[in-house]
Amino acid sequence: MRPMVRPALRRAWRDLRYVQFGVAPAHAVVVGPVDATTGSLLELLDGTRDVPSLREEARRLGVPDDWLERLLNRLARAGLLEDTARGATGRAEGGAAREVVVPDRLRADAGSLSVVHRGPGEPLRRLAARGAMRVQVRGAGRVGAAVAALLSSAGVGRVDVLDGGRVRPWDVAPGGLPPESVGEGRAVAARRLVARAAPGGAGAGAHGPGRDDRAGRSGGGPEPALSLVVVAPRDGLAAYAPDPATADAWVGTGTPHLFAGVLEATGVVGPLVLPGGSACARCVDLGRVDADPAWPRLLAQWRSGRQGGAVPTGDAGLVATVAGLTAAHALAFLDGGAPASVGARWEVASPLLEWRSRRLRPHGECPCGAADQVEVRAGWEADGAERERASGVRGGQDTMAG
């Protein structure tokens, strides 16, 4: 083990006894009390020394071995310690273990992961897990293409993009399809974009509907399961009011899916649907009908195709914002988290550009079963709160981390 205090968190002394790691409150940790000798030990935790070497350095400072061990243990409990000798492993073809090497283009992503997931070696393991995942993006318009490129650049091993037709001038956007792709098939252009964005170099992890998938996998093995579907249609109405009939297939297969798009200068991210665990597209549709009996009539007219030739609205800044937040929520989920888009739709509208969250509750009449799970979970949480009040138990906190 070669311990290192996480370099992604900036260090500053609050006073002569307490040191703060991190600037933003969401991830900052305060350690103390720390004397001058312990402060010198902290400077030695730069990942270049193994534990025996640190013991020798500590003895020169007059620090006993047990104090060094306690310091390392406390820093580890506070989530501040990384092990530079511990690499992540993935699985190569045939099941053999392989060491994961972080490309330079992913070093910033690894640093971010080290802030969020603080176990020793955890950032590399998360990157290795991303590399084994398959995500499908449905839509290669301004939002969908940018989302696909962002996911590929963040290390997702395979990003499939599904869309038809040819690239139109208004499909072009910074971070998405380039101007030279106008006139090409959207699927082909999106596949090239994903390949160029991949940190491993052009051609890595890019697939599209027009390609024989066996050409992208050696050995012709089984199709890898989808980790996530991102629904980012060029027509933002299909993201704001998704068709339950289309989404039912993902619910039936248990495939998580995230809706995103821009409609009439309003950006939408969510909901992220966890089948059977959070509100699905049919839940949302049933809830809208309950709130507004005229909703089905309005939606039928909007979907009728009378305005099918209209150019999708949404300025470049809003599109980039929606695409970025969508990719961030997708990555948070792929990394094992539950982002705020689970069971919620986030909306931002010009010109105020204030993000607002709308909670979406599972509907009792929806066959997805999420409403039953919510009731069970609510009952369990209520029971837990009652037990806590009866026992007087509260969460503890390590004395060195605040």
Side-chain angles (χ1 to χ4, degrees), residues 256-272:
H257 45 287
L258 171 63
F259 296 95
V262 174
L263 172 71
E264 299 171 351
T266 295
V268 178
V269 178
L272 170 55

Side-chain angles (χ1 to χ4, degrees), residues 29-191:
V29 176
V30 177
V31 172
V34 177
D35 57 22
T37 303
T38 305
S40 299
L41 281 177
L42 289 174
E43 296 296 332
L44 299 176
L45 301 178
D46 57 4
T48 63
R49 303 170 179 83
D50 57 19
V51 174
S53 299
L54 286 171
R55 289 196 188 103
E56 293 180 9
E57 296 282 357
R59 288 167 190 157
R60 293 191 186 99
L61 295 171
V63 176
D65 292 350
D66 60 343
W67 174 251
L68 175 64
E69 297 296 336
R70 287 199 300 272
L71 174 63
L72 293 177
N73 289 337
R74 287 191 167 187
L75 290 173
R77 285 200 302 271
L80 293 173
L81 212 57
E82 180 57 274
D83 180 6
T84 60
R86 183 182 301 197
T89 57
R91 292 291 170 186
E93 184 180 355
R98 62 176 175 84
E99 184 179 357
V100 175
V101 178
V102 179
D104 285 343
R105 284 172 56 181
L106 281 178
R107 289 181 63 185
D109 298 78
S112 179
L113 285 170
S114 75
V115 173
V116 179
H117 304 284
R118 299 190 179 183
E122 198 62 28
L124 293 182
R125 280 196 291 271
R126 303 280 174 164
L127 283 177
R130 284 185 188 179
M133 291 178 177
R134 174 183 167 224
V135 174
Q136 183 183 93
V137 178
R138 300 180 72 91
R142 301 181 91 189
V143 173
V147 170
L150 287 167
L151 294 179
S152 180
S153 70
V156 175
R158 176 170 165 182
V159 181
D160 301 337
V161 184
L162 304 183
D163 206 341
R166 296 191 175 276
V167 178
R168 307 299 296 273
W170 47 83
D171 292 328
V172 172
L177 297 175
E180 58 268 23
S181 66
V182 173
E184 282 189 295
R186 287 193 178 94
V188 174
R191 186 185 309 131

